Each structure stands twice: as structure tokens, then as C-alpha cells.
Amino acid sequence: MKKGIQIETDCNQCGQRIVSCPTDALSHNDFNFVNKDNKIYVINKGGESVINNATEINVKDILKTRLWFYDLLGKSFYLEPEISRLKKVCELKIFEQFINNEDFKNEGIGILRDFFDNISKISNEEFNSLRKEYTRLFIGPGHLPAPPWGSVYLSKERIIFDENTLEVRKFYKKWGVNTKNSNKEPDDHIGFELEFISILIDKSLSELDKNNINGFKNILTAQIDFLKSHILIWIDVFSDKLSENTEYSLFKGLALFLPEYLKMDIGLLEDLLENLENLQ
Amino acid sequence: MAMNLKLSTVTRRAFLKLSALTGGSLAISGCTPGALDVESESTDVNASEPTIAVEEGVEVIPTSGSNNCGGRCVIKAHVKDDVIIRLSTDEGSEDEGSTTLARACVRGRSYRKTFFHPDRLKYPMKRVGKRGEGKFERITWEEAIETIASETKRVKEQYGPASRYVHYATGVSAAIRGNTLANRLLALDGGYLGYYNTYSTAQTSNATPYTYGTGSTGNTPDDYVNSKLIILWGHNPAETIFGTSMYPLRKAKEAGVKIIAVDPRYSDTAIGMADEWIPVLPGTDNAMMDAMAYVMITEDLHDQEFLDKYAIGFDAEHMPEGIDGKESYKSYILGEKDGIEKTPEWAEKITKVPAKTIKKLAREYATTKPAALIQGWGPQRSAYGEQIVRGATILATMTGNVGISGGCASGAGYASRISIPGVPVPKNPFEGSIPVFLWTDAIVRGSEMTAKDGVRGVDKLPSNIKLIFNLAGNALINQHSDCNKTAEILADESLVEFIVVSDIFMTPSAKFADILLPGDTVFERNNITKPWGYGDFALYANKVVEPPFECKFEYEWLKEVAAKLGIRDEFTDGNETNEDWTRWVVEETRKKHFDFPTFEEFKKSGMHRFKFDEPLIAFKKQIEDPENNPFHTPSGKIEIFSKRLWDMNAPEEIPAIPKYISSWEGPEDPLKEKYPLQCIGHHTKRRCHSTHDNNPWGEEVEQQTVWMNPIDADVRGIKDGVLVKAFNDRGTVEIPAKVTNKVMPGVTSISQGAWWTPNKRGVDTRGCINTLTTHKPSPLAKGNPQHTNLIQVEKA
Ligand code: SF4
């Protein structure tokens, strides 16, 4: 499919026209939406199919959207803020779209929406201080108010590198994933755990491509498993600590959004699994 | 394929709508954080169980504590998949020897907690705010090394090699340690300002040799059991840890040896071991000792024969040539010159020890033979600590307890019979050195400092200190005196121009770094350790895991600095790694200890226990065969009167015989009107100096508080546990009070080592004793008087 197609769609809630997707973002996609005559069409390699006003949704779209979220969240916790990355998020107006939804109310969304809305206006100075805040929160050298590693919340000693770290490592290994620097950086960094989910999503996408429903199901189940047994058990404490200890809307917003998003995502995965029978 | 999903529930509707709106448009840039690797050979996704097995094996690797308690314990790391999942310790049986048991204490059991703390320093940093403000920015190792090398060069060119100083540091107390490595580097690069003394033993290590010619005055602890009476004078091995002396002490107790503890505080040692506790006001020990001598002399309980044979200066008949008999110790005790008889009643007023108790103790000590008066190092860390040390050596001599089994010569009490070398430091091309406690003086007025200030090796320092390496140490602020004043000196960037700190946490000292480097811990490097003198073993501290993040042992980056200075080969001398150096240490050790294991054996077992048939008795030869074995003093005798001290001509503060000197900020100082309480800083079992302070479990072991007696608390309306402020002109700490009979009236105690944490008002909210201590040194040793403080305590 051609690069550079712009997607326009109407917001379901307010009816506003939404223009999204920067050109280069499409390069990875093998499918896309178009909005024609108030109907959303998915364009696949194999042609077009119509989705009935968002009551029927392409599973791949769901997965791609999830992938995007996990990517955003993972990077936000593991990498220092980078202006071009943030600006891309802004252009997509994701949180704008979320906020207009009655069904998912979360304080973090508004905060993130406002943050990303203003990102183009951010001064160098403000951006520097955002980077410093990232360093303060996740790098040091002082006391980390909300350490981003699971074992700090789960181990008896509240330390980095513990049996919990190994459990996470083991889970990764099951799926052929290794932490690049596992003897230097604990595997259970929240950023890595979110990245791991995004790898699983990627894997599930390729199983879909192969029409392998069984494999696809297993990967979905693994995601639920990992989320429940390794992330959800500490994420609330982490996000409470984080939101209490930062005044920066990016991090406050992420802290408030993350656990709710993950919980919703588990529900979504469970729905997906339940509905796999209905897939044609 | 086009898989569409019919919605059966509405719970995730919002997200689904969002997916519908955006799904195809969302592409991620790059792949995720990129911290994970996906194996190219993909796993079998159809298998509901994993296809890659994870090894279950756990390996046990011996390593060792290397912070500066007096012990060095066996720490065994149980390692699974490069992660330490558990620790265990020495399983040696008690029969293996009373001085070789190396079982970890409460600190060792929580090493994982301390050393894998999420607050570890992780990356090199450079200062971005004002010095001391604590603002840093992450940099690369390359930048850090480049900056250190160029500053080291610049300062040498601008101010001379002697303006460069490697500060006292004991965070890594082992054969290979950052501070000696930095000295090695600077010695090869033209020199540095050296120091002598330690923060532990300045007064005793200087004063003891005036009596005996050496500080090695202790019998090894396996001799405790041969005593009939042990007096622990300001000695608290249960909390401080002195090698492995607690076990022999228990053996002695079990054998029926009476143990008496003299201490202002009812220490854990006193609680666990002593038959009797005698509280004495800090700094007044000599008044009590003088009165004990008075009792012995007037009741003729002293060993005159021993004194006549081995000592000089006790009485008028045995004075060095040309010294008046009135200058003798006996004459002083009897008040022949100053008109004051040093009676127990006189001492009672000063020391608050009842005359009755002093008499009883004097009689007991003089008549129970053999008896060991063992001094700790606490009392000597005071304004006139030199007197306390010498006073006890004289009592030991008067009772004839020198050089015999079951006795103790007292004084510094070093008693090492094993020798394990550290990485050698070549001769420093600059020969001058300062007493370590005066390093802050050397920053402010170094070029004015002379012998009067304790400068040795040169007449005068050529410059002030301009560059400091502070590697694995917290004496840059916390463990030095007067934190507020020290901070002010360091904050002035026109004084010291460059400070490198390497540590594992953002300590109060680390805050003052210009370049801040992430160090490693005991689990992350190879090293060799041995306990302080009182322990007959050596440990191989194996590297167990890689240093996390970008942490590095100091050697790793010092090598690179050396390369930039063009002296890398000389610096490493062929030893590329720590393991190369540990090999060297083992080889050197085997030259002296023929039964020492080979490198491979030692590394594997992790421990070598030295075997000795009998205890080491200090001065045994000198006592058994004095003709052929004189003491290493100018007279060849035990010098109760020291001509060397006499010649210093400062009798008020440096008397030729030990005397009670009424101390500034002591119980007789008029300053007591304003600051009525004495304050000392005991060692606590929860920390090794300042290491482990950030382990919150420590707070459960012993909360950071100011100890005060109910009598002092009541008049101030202070209840146990309430927040109080303890202050003097130098600073204020705000911590809870511990109202307890375990400290005598008039005395407060704040355990040393808490991390100085000033708030906006400059009040230290953590309770670092050094917020209250002074830079004023003791007269002879120029040592730190950290237990000499007057303070007031009020409700906060
Ligand atoms: S702190 Fe000292 S006594 Fe305690 S375990 Fe470590 S080395 Fe042993």
C-alpha cells in the first residue's frame, strides 16, 4: 500500500473531524483505515472491508493500538524524554480521543492531553527541566521516590535483583526474549516489562498473519498472565508513589494512567479471547 | 487476514472505539524501549508450556564483608542466574578456634538490603548547581575520566603536587581500595599531600608509644580466658566489633572471669557481659584513674618491684636524669606539687563515680592477678584523649599486668600476628604529611601550617589543598567534625577547586563532588580482607555479580586516568584486574605465612584460618628477659614519665606524666551554664560508621535518637520518643529522644554515623553527631575529639 495516506475520521463523541497520522508512521503498516461516507474502511493487503461504525473492529487494529500504547508507556519510563517522540504523540491526539470517551474515565488522561497539547509550545528551558525530572525520578543520584523495578516492591528486602527479577527473566525466556544487559540492569524495570508486552503483541500479530489461531490465543493468554502475575501486583504502589512525588504533568499523567490502562487492557484481552470463536 | 471482532461487552468500549479510530495509523517509531532482545529463533507459540528451560542451579560463592567494622565476616552468596538470592555466613564450628569465627552480624545479614538498594548511584555525574547543592547531570565515563585527568594535571601545574590530597576513606576496607590506589597514582605522578593518623585511633596511636615505644600492646583475645578480672574501659566490642573478640570474651565469662565495664553508657557489651557497670562522665577518666592510683599507693597495693625493674618516672627514685623528683607520677598523685591529693573523694566530684566504687575497683584490680584493663578507642577520641590512654598504661604497669598472660598492657592494644599486604603505594615524592583531622585546616591555611600543626616530613606545607579524591569514604562531611563548618569550607569553590567522589550512594560527602562516580560493592569485585588485629583469618572476597548499571570499582577508572597521565604501565605494574592484584597479595602473604594456601585454593574456599598454639602476649620478652629486650622507648623502660613529652614544654596540655586535665567542653567548663549536657557518639550495631545508615531495617534495630537520662529529661519536660532539638553553637539536630537509664545523668549520646541531612533552616533532621562536634584537635596527636561536646536539649 502507498505511503503517506492521511486518515481522516470523525470522532464518535463530538463528531469532530480528526486528522491523524504523520506520513512516516505508515511505513510499518500493512493495513489502514479510511473513512468514506461516514463508514470506516479497513484497507488491507487483500483489499477493503467495511467496519460497521466501530461496532465491529479489526482485531489487528486493536493490537496495533495496544502496541502503540505499550511502546509509548515503555519508552516513557525507560528513556529520557525526547522532544520529537513527544511531538509525535501530540500530533496523534490520542489522549484527546480518549478523553471524549465516557467509558474510560481516568484523571491521567486529562493531564496527559493537556501536556501533549502544549508540547509544541514547550520552551527549551521547560524541556530541560522535564529531562531533569526524569533523571531525578528514575536515574538519581539522589533517593528515587518511585523506583521503577518490580522487585523493589515485591522482595522482602525491597531491593533490585531478587528472585522476582528471575521470575520475570524466566517469563521472558519462555518467549525467546532476553534483557540485553541482564547482568547490569534488572529485567523487571517497568519499561522492560511494557516492552515485553509489546513484543508479545508483535508476535501475536504475526500469528494472525499466519492464520494460527491457537498460537495467537496462547500469546494473548501469556499477555494476560504476565500482566497479572508480574505487573499488576506492584503497579498501583509504584504509580501512587510516582504521582505523589512529581509535579510534572507528563509523569503525573503517566502514573495515573498506567495502572488503569493495564487493567482495562487485561479486560480487553479477556474479551478478545472470549470472542475468538466469533472470528471469521 | 481481516479478523473482525464483534463486541460482546461494553467494558472496553472506549478503547475499542479508539482502536477503530486510530488503529491503523499508529506506528511505533524504532522498536520499543529497546532494552530487550528477541531471539531470532522464535519459540514455539503453539506450546502452552515454555520450550526454553531455565536453569534451577544455585551456586554458593564465598565473599566477605569489607566495610570498616572491626570484623570481616564470611558472607556466602547464593547465586542463581547471576542474581544473589540469599546470603549465609560462616558455618565453622566454635571449636575451630576462638579467634577465627567469622559469623555475620545484623549488618551482614542484611547486606543484600543495603547493597542492592534502588538508590545506588548508577551513572557518572557532573555537578551542575553550586557545590554541595546536590544537583548533578549524567555524563559518560569518557567525560568523567577526561575531566579528572585534566584537573589532576592542571592543579599539579598550577599549585604543585602537594596541593593534591586523597582523603581518608574506609568504605572499602580491604587489600585493594580506591584511596590507596589513588595515592599510588599520584605518587607516580609527582606526589601528593599525605596524612597520618586515623579517625579511630589518633590519640591512642600517638600516646601509647610514649609509654611503651609501640602501639602493639594487646594480648590476643584467646588470652582473655586466662584473666581473673577483665575491666572493659570504654570498650564495646559487641556493637563496634573488634575482630572476633566477642566470642573469646564469652568464653572468659563462661570460665568465671569477672568482667567490669566502665562506660558512661550501658552498652550492649556491658549488658551482655559485665558483672558490674561503672558509669563515668566522659573525659574525666583520668580523675578516676588518678584516684585508683592514689588508693593503690596509699594502701600499698601497687607492684613496687615491677615498677622498679621495668619503669621510670613512677617515683622520685626513678626519674630520668636531671628531672626533679617532684615531677614523678607518685608525687602528682599525692599532690606534692599542686597541693591536691588525688583522692577518690576528689575524683568523685569530677567523675560522678562514688569514691567507694573507685576504691573497690582499685583494690580489686591491684589484688586480682592477672587482670586485664582493656581500653576501647572511644574514650581517647576526646579533647585530652592522650591522657586517658597513658593513664591506663600506668595502672597496668603499677599492677604488674604488663607482659603476662591474663594481663594487659592497656593503651592502643593492637595485637596482630598476621600480615596481609595491600596494594603497595610507591614512595611519595612529596614528603610532607598532616594529621588527617587537620585536612580542613590544610584547605583554608595549608601554606601556613608547620610542625606546630602536626606537619611532618617538611617544615611547612607549600600550598593549600586544591584537589581532593574522596573514594568510598564519608569523612568529607559526615565523619569529620563540625559538618556545618566543613560544608562551608567545601562549598567555597575558590578553596578546593576540584573534588572527585566515588561511592555507592548519594551520601552527605557525595553531595560535594564535582565529578560523582558510581562505585561498586563487596559483591561486585575480587578482593582480600582480614579483620582488625583481633581475628586470625583472611578472607577471599569473590566477585559474585557484575556491578549494576555503569558502576565500577575505582581501579577501573583510575587505570584510564593513569593512561591519560601517561603512567598506565607503572600504575598497573602488570596487574590489569583486581584478580591480578589478589594473586599478588596471596603470593606476598605466602612469603611470610608458609602454610597460607595457594591462590586457587584460597579463592575457592574463601577463608584461611591461621593456627596458633598459644596467645600472643605483648611485651612477654621484655618482661621475661629485660636485659636482652628493652622496650622501644628512649630509656628502654616503660616510661611513666616521658622525657620526650617533657621536652615539648607544654605541660598544661601535654604533661610528661598522664594527668587529669579539666577539659574544654567537659563537665567543669563554665560553658555548661549555656550547654549543660555532655554529648558523646556511641557506635551502634546498626551501622559501620556511616555505612548502612540508609538501610531502613536499621531503624528497627536502633532508632536514631538522642539518649538521655530520665533525670535530665524530666527537668526539660521531655518524654521518651518525643522530637527534641539537641544543639550548641555549631549546630542543631532534631531527632526523637530516647529517655533511658542506660546513659548516666548529665550525659547524652547520639550514635555516630547518621547521614547529615540539613533542612532549609540548617537543622540536621537525621541526627549526625558531627553537626555538634568541633574542628579543634587534641593537643598532642591533633586527633578528633568527637566525644567532647557540650549541648543543650529542648523539646522541638
Ligand atoms: S558488618 Fe562487620 S561484623 Fe557485621 S557482618 Fe559485616 S564484616 Fe561482619
Side-chain angles (χ1 to χ4, degrees):
Chain A
M1 90 164 263
K2 266 197 287 168
K3 275 188 179 183
I5 291 177
Q6 196 176 55
I7 301 157
E8 293 188 17
T9 122
D10 289 335
C11 169
N12 284 336
Q13 295 296 313
C14 65
Q16 244 179 29
R17 198 85 180 143
I18 298 166
V19 179
S20 58
C21 193
T23 317
D24 66 332
L26 291 173
S27 57
H28 294 273
N29 291 337
D30 58 357
F31 66 98
N32 213 338
F33 291 80
V34 288
N35 183 343
K36 260 196 248 160
D37 313 324
N38 280 335
K39 285 195 173 142
I40 299 169
Y41 291 85
V42 175
I43 305 172
N44 285 307
K45 277 185 194 134
E48 273 185 24
S49 68
V50 68
I51 298 176
N52 190 8
N53 271 343
T55 53
E56 257 187 15
I57 297 169
N58 186 303
V59 171
K60 277 193 174 177
D61 296 347
I62 298 173
L63 297 179
K64 287 265 171 180
T65 305
R66 291 179 63 237
L67 189 59
W68 184 88
F69 271 100
Y70 278 99
D71 177 68
L72 170 75
L73 294 168
K75 278 178 181 150
S76 302
F77 290 106
Y78 183 58
L79 300 175
E80 201 177 66
E82 193 195 301
I83 195 75
S84 64
R85 200 169 67 232
L86 297 178
K87 282 193 171 151
K88 257 175 207 166
V89 179
C90 159
E91 286 158 14
L92 290 168
K93 302 256 179 237
I94 295 286
F95 293 99
E96 184 68 51
Q97 297 174 39
F98 238 134
I99 209 167
N100 289 319
N101 257 301
E102 289 292 307
D103 303 303
F104 185 78
K105 285 279 169 234
N106 174 275
E107 210 190 325
I109 295 174
I111 299 176
L112 289 171
R113 194 259 323 252
D114 294 347
F115 171 81
F116 285 111
D117 268 0
N118 291 315
I119 196 74
S120 53
K121 287 178 256 160
I122 197 167
S123 67
N124 274 347
E125 206 177 299
E126 283 169 320
F127 186 68
N128 265 337
S129 90
L130 184 69
R131 279 180 40 227
K132 281 196 185 126
E133 179 69 355
Y134 174 84
T135 306
R136 184 185 75 85
L137 290 169
F138 302 119
I139 302 289
H143 169 66
L144 302 187
W149 302 277
S151 64
V152 175
Y153 303 87
L154 300 171
S155 60
K156 189 169 98 191
E157 276 100 337
R158 305 251 176 273
I159 53 175
I160 53 169
F161 288 110
D162 184 67
E163 266 174 300
N164 177 75
T165 318
L166 288 181
E167 289 300 313
V168 170
R169 187 180 298 174
K170 200 160 126 189
F171 205 116
Y172 290 178
K173 279 202 168 178
K174 275 196 223 176
W175 294 94
V177 174
N178 297 305
T179 307
K180 278 181 189 158
N181 256 334
S182 70
N183 54 3
K184 293 268 175 196
E185 298 203 53
D187 310 70
D188 52 357
H189 189 291
I190 184 61
F192 301 0
E193 297 193 335
L194 297 168
E195 179 179 356
F196 176 64
I197 298 281
S198 69
I199 289 170
L200 291 184
I201 296 172
D202 222 37
K203 281 181 188 282
S204 59
L205 277 166
S206 38
E207 292 315 304
L208 269 190
D209 281 342
K210 288 187 242 155
N211 254 335
N212 182 357
I213 300 298
N214 192 30
F216 180 66
K217 267 191 188 163
N218 279 345
I219 303 176
L220 291 195
T221 311
Q223 293 174 42
I224 297 175
D225 255 20
F226 189 77
L227 281 164
K228 281 190 175 167
S229 59
H230 292 294
I231 305 188
L232 272 245
I233 47 175
W234 62 279
I235 207 69
D236 284 328
V237 190
F238 166 72
S239 80
D240 283 354
K241 281 184 186 258
L242 183 57
S243 68
E244 278 161 23
N245 283 288
T246 181
E247 292 311 318
Y248 282 70
S249 47
L250 174 61
F251 298 111
K252 213 180 191 60
L254 285 168
L256 294 167
F257 177 66
L258 176 68
E260 293 316 309
Y261 172 75
L262 296 180
K263 283 169 207 165
M264 181 198 70
D265 194 47
I266 289 178
L268 177 70
L269 287 165
E270 282 166 348
D271 276 2
L272 270 175
L273 276 171
E274 224 177 86
N275 281 283
L276 271 178
E277 272 66 56
N278 301 329
L279 291 169
Q280 321 112 21
Chain B
M1 67 191 279
M3 266 191 189
N4 287 349
L5 173 71
K6 282 207 172 71
L7 300 183
S8 64
T9 63
V10 292
T11 48
R12 260 63 65 187
R13 207 168 54 192
F15 183 81
L16 293 171
K17 282 177 187 164
L18 186 68
S19 295
L21 292 169
T22 56
S25 67
L26 296 172
I28 59 181
S29 55
C31 203
T32 55
L36 307 182
D37 249 349
V38 186
E39 284 171 10
S40 52
E41 226 163 84
S42 77
T43 43
D44 180 4
V45 296
N46 293 314
S48 53
E49 264 311 288
T51 51
I52 298 171
V54 177
E55 282 173 11
E56 296 296 331
V58 174
E59 202 188 341
V60 180
I61 303 176
T63 178
S64 151
S66 69
N67 33 218
N68 189 28
C69 65
R72 295 291 181 274
C73 297
V74 171
I75 305 287
K76 291 181 182 164
H78 296 237
V79 190
K80 187 171 155 189
D81 211 0
D82 292 330
V83 170
I84 300 173
I85 56 170
R86 185 166 90 75
L87 301 175
S88 61
T89 183
D90 191 10
E91 283 138 29
S93 86
E94 300 194 345
D95 307 331
E96 284 198 60
S98 60
T99 54
T100 64
L101 262 189
R103 289 198 191 138
C105 73
V106 67
R107 290 159 279 208
R109 312 269 168 167
S110 58
Y111 275 7
R112 273 195 346 135
K113 173 92 177 152
T114 300
F115 295 133
F116 291 100
H117 196 293
D119 289 350
R120 281 276 299 267
L121 296 180
K122 301 170 187 71
Y123 302 96
M125 301 250 164
K126 70 172 178 206
R127 170 169 68 84
V128 288
K130 289 201 203 87
R131 188 187 284 152
E133 225 180 16
K135 289 198 179 132
F136 292 90
E137 201 173 272
R138 184 172 163 185
I139 54 171
T140 62
W141 267 108
E142 289 68 39
E143 183 180 344
I145 288 163
E146 178 55 46
T147 312
I148 295 166
S150 60
E151 283 298 286
T152 305
K153 254 189 235 166
R154 178 188 67 81
V155 170
K156 180 169 87 170
E157 276 155 24
Q158 203 170 335
Y159 301 103
S163 65
R164 305 181 301 180
Y165 174 72
V166 181
H167 195 27
Y168 180 90
T170 62
V172 179
S173 289
I176 314 169
R177 51 198 294 169
N179 50 341
T180 49
L181 288 165
N183 279 333
R184 182 178 166 86
L185 178 87
L186 295 182
L188 295 166
D189 183 51
Y192 58 94
L193 175 63
Y195 67 75
Y196 63 91
N197 286 350
T198 69
Y199 276 85
S200 302
T201 58
Q203 287 85 331
T204 196
S205 65
N206 283 278
T208 304
Y210 283 98
T211 305
Y212 293 120
T214 173
S216 295
T217 61
N219 297 357
T220 48
D222 44 342
D223 187 49
Y224 292 171
V225 71
N226 300 320
S227 289
K228 293 219 169 66
L229 169 71
I230 293 177
I231 302 169
L232 301 173
W233 199 303
H235 188 43
N236 175 25
E239 288 166 282
T240 308
I241 313 287
F242 263 70
T244 50
S245 67
M246 276 310 278
Y247 179 65
L249 198 57
R250 181 151 64 79
K251 283 282 155 204
K253 189 172 172 61
E254 280 165 15
V257 180
K258 183 170 182 185
I259 299 174
I260 298 173
V262 181
D263 201 315
R265 182 178 151 265
Y266 195 35
S267 70
D268 281 7
T269 309
I271 293 168
M273 292 287 160
D275 298 282
E276 195 181 335
W277 171 44
I278 303 176
V280 57
L281 282 182
T284 68
D285 309 62
N286 285 90
M288 183 167 158
M289 290 169 177
D290 289 349
M292 285 170 70
Y294 182 88
V295 174
M296 291 182 203
I297 292 168
T298 53
E299 298 183 9
D300 199 19
L301 301 173
H302 61 291
D303 192 337
Q304 186 69 45
E305 206 184 311
F306 187 91
L307 286 163
D308 291 348
K309 190 167 173 190
Y310 298 106
I312 58 160
F314 177 69
D315 49 29
E317 291 73 42
H318 301 87
M319 293 302 283
E321 243 187 70
I323 306 289
D324 191 282
K326 282 226 158 39
E327 303 298 337
S328 77
Y329 186 65
K330 189 172 165 185
S331 148
Y332 156 73
I333 294 297
L334 297 176
E336 288 173 3
K337 196 174 165 200
D338 61 6
I340 301 166
E341 286 183 274
K342 311 302 177 304
T343 64
E345 290 72 22
W346 164 82
E348 176 176 327
K349 289 198 198 84
I350 299 166
T351 62
K352 298 288 179 279
V353 183
K356 215 165 75 242
T357 308
I358 299 176
K359 283 180 201 159
K360 191 167 151 265
L361 182 66
R363 289 172 190 148
E364 217 171 340
Y365 180 44
T367 58
T368 313
K369 232 178 162 178
L373 193 171
I374 302 169
Q375 288 191 293
W377 296 338
Q380 54 98 43
R381 281 192 295 271
S382 57
Y384 297 102
E386 294 93 345
Q387 302 311 310
I388 298 174
V389 173
R390 292 247 302 139
T393 62
I394 281 42
L395 290 180
T397 306
M398 286 176 69
T399 54
N401 275 306
V402 179
I404 59 167
S405 173
C408 175
S410 211
Y414 305 137
S416 189
R417 49 188 168 182
I418 61 175
S419 134
I420 313 265
V423 172
V425 178
K427 189 171 169 340
N428 184 359
F430 175 72
E431 288 181 349
S433 63
I434 53 167
V436 67
F437 186 57
L438 296 194
W439 67 278
T440 30
D441 285 53
I443 291 174
V444 180
R445 54 175 192 94
S447 54
E448 295 159 20
M449 285 170 74
T450 61
K452 189 168 69 34
D453 305 291
V455 170
R456 291 182 186 167
V458 293
D459 295 339
K460 197 169 163 296
L461 296 186
S463 69
N464 297 355
I465 293 175
K466 289 290 174 187
L467 173 148
I468 297 176
F469 280 86
N470 186 74
L471 311 182
N474 201 5
L476 195 64
I477 286 278
N478 217 76
Q479 301 304 96
H480 187 50
S481 288
D482 199 344
C483 297
N484 286 309
K485 188 171 169 192
T486 309
E488 210 181 293
I489 293 170
L490 291 177
D492 185 341
E493 293 166 35
S494 72
L495 293 173
V496 184
E497 295 181 6
F498 187 63
I499 302 177
V500 190
V501 174
S502 166
D503 211 314
I504 54 172
F505 293 112
M506 191 68 202
T507 64
S509 294
K511 278 213 175 94
F512 286 81
D514 295 319
I515 293 286
L516 175 60
L517 304 171
D520 67 350
T521 72
V522 55
F523 297 118
E524 297 153 16
R525 66 176 103 90
N526 287 298
N527 221 328
I528 289 176
T529 68
K530 73 171 175 70
W532 289 354
Y534 298 170
D536 296 320
F537 58 87
L539 300 174
Y540 194 94
N542 275 286
K543 174 174 177 170
V544 182
V545 293
E546 283 299 317
F549 309 102
E550 290 186 10
C551 300
K552 277 188 208 294
F553 183 57
E554 286 77 18
Y555 191 44
E556 298 308 310
W557 58 265
L558 283 167
K559 280 187 292 194
E560 301 318 311
V561 174
K564 292 207 187 283
L565 300 177
I567 49 173
R568 195 180 193 283
D569 290 348
E570 296 91 316
F571 181 62
T572 61
D573 198 18
N575 299 291
E576 223 11 74
T577 64
N578 268 33
E579 189 171 295
D580 293 336
W581 276 117
T582 58
R583 237 174 238 284
W584 178 87
V585 171
V586 170
E587 274 157 30
E588 289 299 303
T589 306
R590 279 163 63 86
K591 287 180 188 162
K592 292 198 187 96
H593 298 281
F594 303 120
D595 59 345
F596 200 82
T598 63
F599 174 77
E600 279 72 24
E601 289 162 354
F602 185 38
K603 183 174 168 62
K604 185 153 182 275
S605 73
M607 183 176 206
H608 176 67
R609 298 176 202 270
F610 294 86
K611 297 265 189 282
F612 298 97
D613 297 334
E614 49 187 31
L616 174 82
I617 310 295
F619 308 121
K620 192 161 184 273
K621 283 190 311 197
Q622 282 83 346
I623 298 305
E624 283 175 359
D625 181 11
E627 270 65 55
N628 293 312
N629 299 289
F631 284 86
H632 294 296
T633 54
S635 63
K637 300 215 167 195
I638 299 171
E639 297 196 345
I640 294 173
F641 180 99
S642 165
K643 182 76 170 28
R644 284 179 292 172
L645 294 175
W646 174 264
D647 289 342
M648 289 183 194
N649 203 18
E652 294 302 314
E653 292 199 303
I654 308 179
I657 51 165
K659 281 182 175 172
Y660 169 64
I661 299 174
S662 181
S663 172
W664 48 266
E665 296 204 35
E668 298 181 298
D669 188 333
L671 188 66
K672 264 191 86 176
E673 294 285 307
K674 192 173 172 197
Y675 298 120
L677 296 166
Q678 288 187 265
C679 182
I680 57 171
H682 64 275
H683 278 50
T684 162
K685 55 187 169 275
R686 62 168 293 189
R687 283 187 291 263
C688 290
H689 308 294
S690 70
T691 308
H692 306 290
D693 187 50
N694 58 338
N695 175 355
W697 284 356
E699 215 57 13
E700 295 170 35
V701 175
E702 186 183 323
Q703 197 194 1
Q704 190 64 20
T705 55
V706 47
W707 291 35
M708 60 195 306
N709 189 277
I711 293 172
D712 297 318
D714 279 355
V715 296
R716 291 169 174 78
I718 291 168
K719 295 256 179 322
D720 186 50
V722 306
L723 195 67
V724 294
K725 58 176 185 171
F727 61 98
N728 59 19
D729 288 341
R730 293 178 290 268
T732 304
V733 305
E734 244 175 49
I735 47 174
K738 176 184 167 105
V739 178
T740 173
N741 274 313
K742 287 185 189 166
V743 67
M744 69 188 293
V747 182
T748 58
S749 188
I750 299 172
S751 64
Q752 65 104 0
W755 289 5
W756 180 63
T757 312
N759 64 13
K760 287 200 183 78
R761 291 175 290 132
V763 171
D764 170 21
T765 54
R766 178 69 192 133
C768 175
I769 173 84
N770 287 318
T771 308
L772 305 169
T773 59
T774 173
H775 280 185
K776 187 173 174 181
S778 72
L780 173 65
K782 309 291 177 203
N784 40 315
Q786 276 154 317
H787 301 300
T788 303
N789 309 288
L790 286 178
I791 65 166
Q792 177 59 292
V793 179
E794 289 170 1
K795 277 200 263 187

